[in-house]
Amino acid sequence: MPLGPGSDPSWTQSLLLNSVDVGLVLALTYLVLLIIGERRTLWMVRGLIILMLAAAASNKLKLTLLHFVLDKLVIGSAVAMAIILQSEFRRFLEQLGRGEVVQLFRPVRRTLPKPDSVIDEIVDAVKELSQNRIGALLILETTGPMDDRDFSVPGVKLNAEVSKELLQTIFQTTTLLHDGAVYISGSRVVAAGVILPLSDRTASRQLGTRHRAAMGITERVGNCLCVVVSEETGSISMAERGILNRPLTSSKLKELLEARFSPAVDREAVAPGLLSLGRQIGSKVRVVVRRVLRLPEDKK
């Protein structure tokens, strides 16, 4: 008589190995979600996972041509994502290299500007600078801390509260820091006089060095945006992911910043807590094991 699944050692070993395999893949996926921490980018990760699952299924079904096409798509998508998310992957590899494995499971704490206070101060300062045709460049941190190595020159550390008066004073042409950018994280002015890398893309002749710098840093780093005030025309622009949105009115700038830093959007969890995730996975595994081994359901 053939042995049942419960009495076959090889079957039990195979089930254990498959469970470990699935658990490791889930843990890796969870780490990726924590590293990304941005819902817009999360859709790209989901698309890559779907492609990987489709490639694995086509291989199991012996669909040779379809598996070949999907396999190449997975490789191309992975390379594209590595370029797009280079700052996130760099942070992951740095923490992994330093042995900070526990920190990988901790979500990045976000210090976001509050629409009713900090954004008002920024918009009021930009409005005044625009009316007086004083050039300005502000870097606003979005979903996580930036690295000083992303800047050509880190600038002078300030660590001061964001205020309209402080921003206007920094960009006055008589100050030593007016030529660089101001780096803002949450409600703090972290540094001033920051020199940014310039974009290599061909830009309009109407765009000066500040606009190219705003495009350059947002091309390189995905977790920031830049607000620019033109010294020649006083026009207001905002750059994000290398794309320059211009010209803007002060009211339109406020609308864009409030939408970008909306607490309702940013407080939404991208990945669940580790303990909660573990409980969910454990309950699913128990259900599958009970069904496979035909064990009685738990009575509540």
Side-chain angles (χ1 to χ4, degrees):
M1 293 177 63
L3 295 174
S7 58
D8 188 352
S10 62
W11 184 90
T12 304
Q13 184 179 9
S14 176
L15 177 63
L16 180 61
L17 290 176
N18 288 334
S19 301
V20 172
D21 189 21
V22 172
L24 291 175
V25 171
L26 290 175
L28 181 60
T29 303
Y30 180 78
L31 283 179
V32 172
L33 297 182
L34 288 183
I35 293 167
I36 293 171
E38 193 174 65
R39 301 203 67 83
R40 183 171 56 182
T41 312
L42 187 60
W43 293 107
M44 292 191 297
V45 179
R46 290 177 176 175
L48 179 61
I49 293 174
I50 291 173
L51 282 176
M52 293 171 63
L53 293 175
S58 62
N59 187 37
K60 288 288 185 181
L61 297 174
K62 307 298 182 183
L63 303 175
T64 308
L65 181 58
L66 180 61
H67 173 69
F68 174 80
V69 173
L70 290 175
D71 189 51
K72 300 307 177 185
L73 281 176
V74 168
I75 296 174
S77 301
V79 172
M81 287 185 61
I83 296 173
I84 296 172
L85 305 176
Q86 56 181 316
S87 59
E88 287 83 358
F89 279 116
R90 182 174 61 193
R91 187 174 75 247
F92 168 73
L93 293 175
E94 286 177 353
Q95 289 181 326
L96 195 62
R98 290 195 295 263
E100 300 175 353
V101 180
V102 177
Q103 283 77 359
L104 292 174
F105 289 87
R106 296 176 182 173
V108 177
R109 293 184 178 180
R110 304 177 185 179
T111 54
L112 300 177
K114 298 178 181 178
D116 58 348
S117 57
V118 179
I119 289 180
D120 287 338
E121 294 290 331
I122 293 174
V123 172
D124 289 343
V126 169
K127 182 179 180 180
E128 292 288 338
L129 292 168
S130 174
Q131 291 175 347
N132 295 322
R133 293 194 177 184
I134 298 175
L137 176 58
L138 294 85
I139 315 165
L140 306 182
E141 191 178 87
T142 56
T143 58
M146 297 178 65
D147 195 326
D148 285 346
R149 287 172 293 184
D150 293 323
F151 308 139
S152 299
V153 178
V156 178
K157 300 295 183 182
L158 296 181
N159 192 25
E161 284 288 335
V162 173
S163 69
K164 177 181 69 174
E165 293 78 12
L166 176 60
L167 295 177
Q168 287 180 300
T169 301
I170 290 174
F171 288 112
Q172 294 299 318
T173 55
T174 54
T175 65
L176 297 177
L177 301 176
H178 77 279
D179 274 337
V182 166
Y183 171 29
I184 298 175
S185 175
S187 60
R188 310 291 294 180
V189 176
V190 178
V194 179
I195 306 301
L196 304 179
L198 301 181
S199 173
D200 295 328
R201 294 166 55 187
T202 304
S204 170
R205 293 182 179 179
Q206 299 177 350
L207 304 182
T209 305
R210 288 188 178 90
H211 294 87
R212 290 183 59 201
M215 294 168 63
I217 189 63
T218 54
E219 285 172 354
R220 175 178 298 189
V221 182
N223 61 324
C224 73
L225 57 83
C226 286
V227 178
V228 187
V229 178
S230 171
E231 186 174 359
E232 288 76 17
T233 64
S235 64
I236 303 171
S237 309
M238 190 180 83
E240 187 172 13
R241 296 190 179 276
I243 305 300
L244 200 62
N245 189 350
R246 63 181 293 271
L248 302 174
T249 62
S250 58
S251 58
K252 182 61 177 178
L253 174 65
K254 181 177 181 180
E255 179 184 332
L256 292 174
L257 292 179
E258 287 179 344
R260 188 65 184 83
F261 294 104
S262 172
V265 173
D266 289 297
R267 287 175 186 171
E268 186 178 357
V270 173
L274 188 58
L275 293 178
S276 174
L277 182 69
R279 286 193 294 267
Q280 293 177 20
I281 295 174
S283 63
K284 296 295 184 183
V285 170
R286 285 194 297 271
V287 170
V288 172
V289 171
R290 280 199 301 267
R291 290 179 178 177
V292 170
L293 301 180
R294 298 180 179 179
L295 298 175
E297 296 290 334
D298 293 337
K299 294 182 179 179
K300 296 183 179 180

